[in-house]
Amino acid sequence: TLLLPRIGAMAKVATILKRIGCPLQADSVLFLAQSGSYMFNLHTTTSDEDYTIVFAFQDSQRVYNGSASQSQYRNHTTRKHTNDKSDVTEYTATEAGEFLEFAIKGNPKNIELFFAERVIYESPEWLRLKKHREGLLTLRCVSQYRGFIYDRLRMINDEKSKAYTLPRRLQKEFYYALHKHYDLQRISKGRHPSVEPSKSERDFIMRVRRADTLKGELEPKKLKSTILCGLENARENIKQLRPSLAEEVDVNPLCAWLVDLRRSRW
């Protein structure tokens, strides 16, 4: 009886892989989610359909036509003159070892997958890895969140950047920054990133996303001030939290997990 839900899940994974054109086999998938703004519950009618996949090499996948198989598969679309990507489906599929490298470095995109609620599929192997997610919230991770936010602010401050040359891109850059801003506040207080904002946070971000022009309470100067204050608050919070927050990830349990995964699959 325990096998039936997994069979159903594999069928769903296979259907999605086929529909989005990803060449992976369903039984190689460890994690699958519709990611981006959908995962954050911040999507709009013009948002694309974006999937994130983590997979394990199967024995037959390690070598293809005499050469090592790919560790990442991607399908992404760039549109320069419109903000509407409602008809676009994109995906990024990353092999488990490469995925872990970025998670260990504290990359927010990787960290968020361990805490997201809007997930399509998590394999038994992924659930074992997920037990180590607390150890990924390190000072390096905090630095990565801060770096992501500062990168958005740099783009917002540069009037020659795509934040000003692409339609509604300024609103999108603020949405990116605010989303990470809220989770940085949580992490700096010793809590988990929520990934999906609270109702009040979501309402504010969506006002920014949907605004034709940023004015009044949503004036860029005020939004930047809010974000910069958040960065300073996080810095002060980390000073208090520092004794209990590791500088780096303890890689030993993660490496052991990866070795076990590859032994079982190869």
Side-chain angles (χ1 to χ4, degrees), residues 101-153:
E101 285 185 39
F102 287 99
I104 288 167
K105 293 175 183 176
N107 187 308
K109 285 187 177 181
N110 298 64
I111 298 297
E112 286 169 345
L113 302 189
F114 291 100
F115 297 94
E117 296 291 334
R118 294 183 166 218
V119 172
I120 295 170
Y121 175 69
E122 295 176 300
S123 71
E125 294 101 328
W126 178 268
L127 292 175
R128 286 195 290 274
L129 175 62
K130 194 174 175 179
K131 292 178 181 178
H132 301 290
R133 66 181 186 172
E134 301 281 351
L136 296 169
L137 301 177
T138 61
L139 289 173
R140 180 187 279 237
C141 176
V142 168
S143 178
Q144 290 284 338
Y145 270 80
R146 288 172 60 87
F148 181 96
I149 294 167
Y150 275 121
D151 283 345
R152 305 279 74 76
L153 289 177

Side-chain angles (χ1 to χ4, degrees), residues 20-236:
I20 66 178
C22 181
L24 294 170
Q25 297 297 314
D27 59 0
S28 71
V29 173
L30 304 173
F31 174 93
L32 170 63
Q34 187 174 342
S35 49
S37 59
Y38 179 84
M39 180 180 282
F40 307 151
N41 193 24
L42 295 171
H43 52 296
T44 68
T45 55
T46 62
S47 296
D48 61 0
E49 190 177 344
D50 196 7
Y51 291 89
T52 295
I53 303 159
V54 182
F55 69 93
F57 285 139
Q58 306 289 65
D59 187 64
S60 60
Q61 289 176 319
R62 283 188 292 162
V63 176
Y64 181 73
N65 288 341
S67 61
S69 57
Q70 293 178 227
S71 60
Q72 190 173 82
Y73 300 86
R74 291 166 58 89
N75 178 41
H76 285 259
T77 302
T78 301
R79 288 185 172 172
K80 295 183 178 180
H81 305 295
T82 178
N83 190 53
D84 191 343
K85 294 180 72 177
S86 57
D87 61 333
V88 173
T89 300
E90 302 178 332
Y91 70 82
T92 300
T94 308
E95 189 271 328
E98 184 171 315
F99 170 84
L100 272 183
E101 285 185 39
F102 287 99
I104 288 167
K105 293 175 183 176
N107 187 308
K109 285 187 177 181
N110 298 64
I111 298 297
E112 286 169 345
L113 302 189
F114 291 100
F115 297 94
E117 296 291 334
R118 294 183 166 218
V119 172
I120 295 170
Y121 175 69
E122 295 176 300
S123 71
E125 294 101 328
W126 178 268
L127 292 175
R128 286 195 290 274
L129 175 62
K130 194 174 175 179
K131 292 178 181 178
H132 301 290
R133 66 181 186 172
E134 301 281 351
L136 296 169
L137 301 177
T138 61
L139 289 173
R140 180 187 279 237
C141 176
V142 168
S143 178
Q144 290 284 338
Y145 270 80
R146 288 172 60 87
F148 181 96
I149 294 167
Y150 275 121
D151 283 345
R152 305 279 74 76
L153 289 177
R154 275 193 288 271
M155 192 169 293
I156 288 164
N157 289 330
D158 181 3
E159 293 188 4
K160 294 181 180 179
S161 74
K162 64 182 179 181
Y164 295 90
T165 58
L166 296 179
R168 301 181 65 82
R169 187 68 197 196
L170 185 61
Q171 288 90 327
K172 197 164 189 177
E173 294 300 331
F174 272 118
Y175 136 57
Y176 288 149
L178 286 166
H179 176 258
K180 296 299 183 286
H181 154 82
Y182 289 126
D183 265 347
L184 176 61
Q185 303 312 303
R186 282 183 268 274
I187 296 170
S188 70
K189 295 174 183 177
R191 295 158 55 194
H192 293 166
S194 291
V195 184
E196 188 174 330
S198 68
K199 184 181 184 305
S200 61
E201 292 166 354
R202 181 184 185 277
D203 289 345
F204 186 71
I205 294 174
M206 293 305 287
R207 283 177 60 202
V208 172
R209 286 210 74 178
R210 290 171 172 155
D212 291 327
T213 56
L214 297 175
K215 58 186 180 180
E217 186 186 4
L218 307 182
E219 183 184 353
K221 185 177 179 180
K222 293 180 180 178
L223 293 177
K224 285 190 282 187
S225 177
T226 296
I227 294 165
L228 288 169
C229 284
L231 287 165
E232 180 59 26
N233 289 338
R235 190 175 70 85
E236 292 300 317

